[in-house]
Amino acid sequence: MKRTIIRIDEEKCNGCGECIIACHEGALQIIDGKARLISEIYCDGLGDCLGECPTGAITLEERDSLAYDQDAVDLHLEKLKERAVSHGCPGSASRTLSTPEEPAAPSGFRPVSRLRQWPVQIKLMPTQAPYYEDAHLLIAADCTAFAYPSIHEDFMKNRVTLVGCPKLDSVDYKEKLEEIIRGNRVKSITVLRMSVPCCGGLVSSVTRALQDSGKMIPWSVVTVGPDGALLED
């Protein structure tokens, strides 16, 4: 049957997850850093998600599609609740974390900061600076510093650190990162993200910045769980 249903432009989608919050039917998920319509029968075609997309990646179109099924939606939402995942943003779901007791540090022990430059927020970073030359960059989501206790020794040491959160900043970092990569001799990039969907926007910005810079630079993505565990990609 022909009906109105959403269409997602993957080139424009930055994986921020705002559309997931706006969709009351749980029809959308972030998969591989992009918003996806997981089933046509969950989409009512009313477009509540359109106005929440900061990049204009979602539009409405009339096409052949399966009919909207309210009973299927109700069952789908119940299953989401059973898995303790709301149909809002999974990264905003409240949870209590259990951490093991650690032995007390020796008296007088003070961890050493491995921060090599200032500022650190991507929005405030200059596009050219001496510390970028021959540098290994760490581009980290804000929350990683709180979730991963050894971030200074394991990730910041011997790297230039840039931090940000595309969801809170409501900005695409792609252009700033592209200028930094294009205008400086950067040796490698490590992206440190949380496992929540909105961090997909950070990975997307780095990916597109690298592509458009025209430079072949080794890069990798490391994912941190809310409990501080490093997760395999």
Side-chain angles (χ1 to χ4, degrees):
M1 63 175 292
K2 274 192 177 294
R3 70 180 184 96
T4 300
I5 194 168
I6 67 163
R7 176 182 177 277
I8 301 173
D9 185 337
E10 292 190 5
E11 292 298 319
K12 293 182 179 180
C13 177
N14 66 5
C16 69
E18 292 293 335
C19 56
I20 296 177
I21 300 173
C23 179
H24 302 297
E25 291 73 36
L28 300 169
Q29 288 184 12
I30 299 297
I31 301 174
D32 297 330
K34 300 289 184 179
R36 299 278 198 274
L37 177 61
I38 59 173
S39 177
E40 293 181 345
I41 65 174
Y42 298 155
C43 178
D44 60 11
L46 297 179
D48 288 344
C49 53
L50 267 68
E52 302 301 322
C53 180
T55 64
I58 304 176
T59 55
L60 291 175
E61 66 177 10
E62 188 174 347
R63 67 171 187 267
D64 288 326
S65 170
L66 296 173
Y68 174 69
D69 188 333
Q70 184 64 58
D71 290 338
V73 169
D74 292 341
L75 180 60
H76 172 59
L77 294 179
E78 280 301 316
K79 289 181 178 179
L80 289 180
K81 290 178 182 178
E82 290 173 5
R83 294 200 303 264
V85 179
S86 74
H87 60 274
C89 176
S92 300
S94 298
R95 70 190 81 177
T96 299
L97 303 175
S98 177
T99 55
E101 290 292 331
E102 294 289 342
S107 177
F109 172 79
R110 182 178 182 275
V112 176
S113 172
R114 298 301 184 179
L115 187 63
R116 298 180 60 188
Q117 93 294 330
W118 188 264
V120 295
Q121 288 290 336
I122 298 174
K123 290 175 64 176
L124 303 178
M125 295 286 285
T127 56
Q128 289 194 322
Y131 48 72
Y132 288 134
E133 290 303 308
D134 295 321
H136 299 276
L137 302 187
L138 171 66
I139 302 177
D142 286 340
C143 297
T144 57
F146 299 95
Y148 191 77
S150 300
I151 188 172
H152 278 262
E153 291 298 324
D154 293 354
F155 291 102
M156 291 172 59
K157 187 177 181 180
N158 299 323
R159 290 187 175 102
V160 171
T161 302
L162 299 82
V163 301
C165 175
K167 186 177 181 68
L168 294 181
D169 286 342
S170 298
V171 68
D172 186 349
Y173 300 126
K174 182 261 181 186
E175 291 188 8
K176 169 67 76 70
L177 295 175
E178 182 184 346
E179 288 187 56
I180 292 173
I181 295 167
R182 189 193 300 274
N184 301 278
R185 197 163 53 241
V186 175
K187 286 190 171 182
S188 73
I189 297 175
T190 300
V191 182
L192 188 64
R193 60 163 292 177
M194 297 298 297
S195 58
V196 297
C198 48
C199 268
L202 188 63
V203 178
S204 174
S205 294
V206 175
T207 302
R208 290 179 289 115
L210 280 168
Q211 290 173 341
D212 291 352
S213 72
K215 290 189 175 182
M216 299 290 290
I217 298 175
W219 73 293
S220 61
V221 179
V222 181
T223 303
V224 181
D227 60 354
L230 296 183
L231 308 178
E232 294 184 5
D233 292 333

